[in-house]
Amino acid sequence: MLGLALGPDGRVLTEHRVSTPQVDDEAAGRPRGTAVADAIAEVVVEVATRTGIEDLDSVAIGVGIPGMVRRDGVLVFAPNLHGAIGADLEQLVATRLGRAAVGIDNDANCAALAEHHFGAARGVEHALLITLGTGIGGAAIVGGVVLRGSSGFAGEFGHLMVDPTGPRCPCGSRGCLERYASGAALHRQVTEAIAAGRLEPSTTPEQLLDLARAQHPVATELVGEFCWWLARGIANLCCCFDPSLVLLGGGVGDAHDVLLEPTRQALIGELEGGRLRPPPELVPTALGSRAGAIGAALVGEQRSAR
Ligand SMILES: [Zn+2]
């Protein structure tokens, strides 16, 4: 997890990264979420110390969580934070920091807020963020505001079902978009192509992208397939949100030099109204892997303003 101190102009003053604890709190006889909340509070204190902040009450504090965070601060589901599911993380973190409340939201929502304030969606009223990591994270900016929905779960774009007969997803459903257009999808494509004798046995997903850059025919075909699914997902989202801008980020999204153009091309064919309507602009995110933490600070600020 990444902690950072953000200046009023959006400049990162200090940052500190630690690994996320994977501890079974209940087995250790502690309430769920204890280890995660301890780690978050420790990172906040460390960043504040390094920045020279003596009074924590003088600054806003926000937390971005990779999972479904309810509006009241309870973590409802997070595949990579099993030990904290069901915990009132806002309360646990706030108590450790000696305050009544902290800001808390899903990390993709935080990233979208950051991109809207300081990054590639600055001033854009209707935009979507799609982060391609192991899975897909998402967030919608509607009328200049990050959409949270009634419970706080809006923007789970990775689990839009695109094929009811498709492969099983860790969320329990089938054929979710992230099975076809994410780091996990790229991994599956490579594995299948190796099994079919179409790629060298040692090929990695990163090498597949490099091969596509070098116009290798099989790699170009596979990346084209990946981008078609991504475009199909974006076209579905356009039916709901009609954005003027779609930001592509995340570890896999960093390969925008090979992914953006085929996705743009495929999108025109998939969009309702096709060429009769303006397609959304498709661009890389500007703030990179810090976007979630920068946005979390902004969520903290919004929370203290309430
Ligand atoms: Zn799913």
Side-chain angles (χ1 to χ4, degrees):
M1 63 176 75
L2 171 67
L4 56 79
L6 192 71
D9 55 355
R11 212 158 41 91
V12 175
L13 305 173
T14 319
E15 60 183 308
H16 179 51
R17 200 180 277 276
V18 298
S19 56
T20 303
Q22 300 292 343
V23 185
D24 187 340
D25 288 314
E26 281 183 325
R30 296 179 305 232
R32 295 181 75 80
T34 300
V36 170
D38 282 346
I40 292 170
E42 279 165 23
V43 167
V44 170
V45 170
E46 179 63 28
V47 167
T49 306
R50 291 187 189 189
T51 316
I53 297 164
E54 285 171 10
D55 179 12
L56 267 184
D57 286 339
S58 67
V59 294
I61 298 173
V63 183
I65 299 284
M68 293 169 72
V69 182
R70 215 162 62 190
R71 280 176 177 266
D72 61 3
V74 171
L75 180 64
V76 172
F77 180 65
N80 297 315
L81 291 174
H82 267 290
I85 292 174
D88 184 343
L89 272 186
E90 180 186 351
Q91 197 50 52
L92 289 174
V93 173
T95 305
R96 281 158 176 73
L97 297 171
R99 41 206 292 161
V102 294
I104 188 164
D105 200 350
N106 164 269
D107 61 348
N109 286 355
C110 292
L113 185 64
E115 293 287 346
H116 189 248
H117 273 250
F118 304 119
R122 196 190 294 213
V124 178
E125 287 284 292
H126 301 282
L128 302 177
L129 168 71
I130 298 178
T131 56
L132 304 180
T134 306
I136 292 183
I141 295 165
V142 178
V145 175
V146 176
L147 185 73
R148 293 195 72 187
S150 61
S151 303
F153 308 152
E156 293 288 322
F157 303 154
H159 302 285
L160 284 174
M161 184 190 280
V162 289
D163 179 1
T165 62
R168 281 259 175 232
C169 180
C171 78
S173 187
R174 266 186 188 282
C176 293
L177 180 60
E178 70 171 41
R179 296 295 93 207
Y180 301 91
S182 67
L186 212 53
H187 191 268
R188 176 182 56 79
Q189 283 185 300
V190 169
T191 309
E192 286 174 3
I194 291 171
R198 303 186 73 205
L199 288 173
E200 291 294 324
S202 60
T203 311
T204 64
E206 293 73 27
Q207 286 167 343
L208 179 80
L209 294 168
D210 281 338
L211 288 169
R213 284 184 182 98
Q215 320 259 305
H216 182 284
V218 174
T220 304
E221 180 195 316
L222 295 179
V223 168
E225 202 177 288
F226 181 101
C227 292
W228 182 86
W229 283 108
L230 180 58
R232 188 54 253 166
I234 294 172
N236 286 352
L237 294 168
C238 286
C239 294
C240 306
F241 299 106
D242 185 23
S244 63
L245 181 72
V246 177
L247 302 181
L248 206 59
V252 178
D254 284 347
H256 44 79
D257 59 315
V258 270
L259 299 180
L260 279 187
E261 202 41 47
T263 306
R264 283 191 191 111
Q265 293 298 327
L267 182 58
I268 292 169
E270 296 306 312
L271 269 183
E272 181 200 10
R275 292 179 188 278
L276 300 174
R277 65 180 283 171
E281 206 186 331
L282 200 54
V283 301
T285 51
L287 302 175
S289 61
R290 281 165 157 183
I294 292 173
L298 296 172
V299 167
E301 198 174 55
Q302 289 179 342
R303 184 79 166 95
S304 352
R306 261 198 267 152

